[in-house]
Amino acid sequence: MFFPILAMIVVALLVSVLISCASLATRVGWVCAMLAPAWLSRGVGALSIDLRFMTLGLLAVICIGSGRWIKGWNWVDLFVGVLTVVAMISLQRSQLFGPSECLVILSTWVVPYVMGRLVITKLSDLDQLLPYACAVCLVLSTWSVVESTTKVNPLNVIAGRGGSRIAGENYRMNLRRAEGPLGHPIYFGMTIAMLFPWSIEGARQAWNNQLPRLFIVTPILCAAGVFCTLSRGPILVLAVSIGSALFFWKPAWRLPLGILAFAALALMVAAWPIVVDQLESLSGEEQGHTVTINGDEYEYSGTKHRTLLYIVYASAMQDAGWLGHGKWGAKTDHLLYVEPELRRTFRSIDNHYVLLILNWGIAGLIAFLALGLFAIGSSSQLAFVGAPAYRVLIGSMSGTIAAVMLLLLTVWFSNGFGFSWLCYIGMLSSSVSAANKTKHSPRMATHRIASAPPRRKIRANAEPFHQAGHV
């Protein structure tokens, strides 16, 4: 299926360029990347080349040929570069560096970010992408609901693929945990949850007759799609995304929302054991199992697994230092840090920050946190001050970025959903650069006001959209 789907992507991009321009091709390419099966790939050494990687390669050729490229640099770009350099130095220091390993780092951390930068090069591109993003959200959310209720993944049936063990065996509330084209319920749920900012902005504009009325139901269907993955992390990301959208949309609600968030956080910390018990009950985890770590017994469950990782890998993290072990698990001596009877149980490191320290040390952790925090801070400032017309969309996107960073305490950074996260950071980075460029150019600022996306009902005699300077 890899090459037939790749051929369809090539045709879609070529048609987009021929009938319009590179701008349309980037939007079509993003849609293809979001809908393409993430598990379809071809291996080259340590590198797994998937359809999204190939799509960016095609888009890069189109953009270079048409003169559409990244405009304006900012701090977020710097930290993407720093994180990449730290990873490569860590691999080199651990004698694990090679061409394919270098490409793995670039495909994981740089490719999605660059795609986001190419799709959005100016603020008006957000308006152009909005209906496409809402359509993707509708497709994926509907897919999730249908798969969960019918217990059939249509793509798996076509491909003759069994699907993930978690989706196939771990039913909850007599519903299948939908995995969609991502191959895992958590990755699918995170991807849909990160589409919520687009869905709420699409519904808001549809309510004002600026987009098709169909998009009014997008946020509701998005929430249903996340729920049907029956994954706790994505549901929490969705909740934070909804709160962020309301925070930026309704100024009068900001103080109550802030108080509610603080109270919920304080209550969760104070009653953590009860919270863990409830999470275990919700997922139907078995109780009563214990593990012995360094001579001490601990209760074990899938939920408690995340906190026990800090104990199991404590010495390995301490020895990681500034640059880490390069690639955790690549050397046999890495196993010596874990007691033999625990290696199978704790082979899965479902905590991005623990794995990040093991791989790239404290320097990698600082670079990653700086990347996320600078993206959140600069985009939030842009939502409040620089681009009030895009306040809801940009503000809720920044809240979603923050929510995913919190959830990485419970899951490793898989490219399945990490692609969308880094792509959105790239979009926000481009938005910040575009706003800064507009702010320092009086001529461009005037043009921006004149060609701003309509925030009113469209009159019957209004000029066609493509004639209003939105091409």
Side-chain angles (χ1 to χ4, degrees), residues 237-290:
V237 170
L238 176 67
V240 174
S241 186
I242 292 172
S244 301
L246 293 175
F247 181 85
F248 284 93
W249 190 1
K250 301 291 185 182
W253 293 10
R254 289 173 187 166
L255 182 59
L257 285 170
I259 294 174
L260 180 63
F262 179 80
L265 183 62
L267 182 62
M268 185 174 67
V269 171
W272 182 246
I274 298 176
V275 172
V276 171
D277 289 341
Q278 291 301 314
L279 290 173
E280 291 173 341
S281 176
L282 179 65
S283 60
E285 296 175 17
E286 295 182 4
Q287 306 292 318
H289 179 50
T290 62

Side-chain angles (χ1 to χ4, degrees), residues 245-367:
L246 293 175
F247 181 85
F248 284 93
W249 190 1
K250 301 291 185 182
W253 293 10
R254 289 173 187 166
L255 182 59
L257 285 170
I259 294 174
L260 180 63
F262 179 80
L265 183 62
L267 182 62
M268 185 174 67
V269 171
W272 182 246
I274 298 176
V275 172
V276 171
D277 289 341
Q278 291 301 314
L279 290 173
E280 291 173 341
S281 176
L282 179 65
S283 60
E285 296 175 17
E286 295 182 4
Q287 306 292 318
H289 179 50
T290 62
V291 293
T292 302
I293 306 172
N294 299 328
D296 297 323
E297 280 198 353
Y298 298 89
E299 289 187 7
Y300 179 83
S301 68
T303 301
K304 292 187 176 74
H305 176 96
R306 275 82 170 178
T307 55
L308 292 175
L309 288 170
Y310 293 103
I311 304 173
V312 173
Y313 290 98
S315 60
M317 286 192 290
Q318 186 175 358
D319 291 347
W322 281 96
L323 291 172
H325 299 280
K327 181 180 179 182
W328 184 255
K331 292 184 174 181
T332 55
D333 60 351
H334 293 169
L335 294 175
L336 300 178
Y337 284 101
V338 184
E339 299 171 57
E341 61 273 14
L342 297 176
R343 289 172 188 170
R344 181 179 178 83
T345 303
F346 291 96
R347 179 179 57 185
S348 175
I349 304 178
D350 293 324
N351 185 314
H352 169 65
Y353 300 105
V354 170
L355 188 57
L356 188 61
I357 293 174
L358 292 174
N359 284 337
W360 304 334
I362 297 173
L365 176 65
I366 292 173

Side-chain angles (χ1 to χ4, degrees), residues 361-389:
I362 297 173
L365 176 65
I366 292 173
F368 177 82
L369 291 175
L371 166 63
L373 293 176
F374 266 85
I376 294 166
S378 58
S379 57
S380 296
Q381 182 182 25
L382 177 63
F384 276 122
V385 180

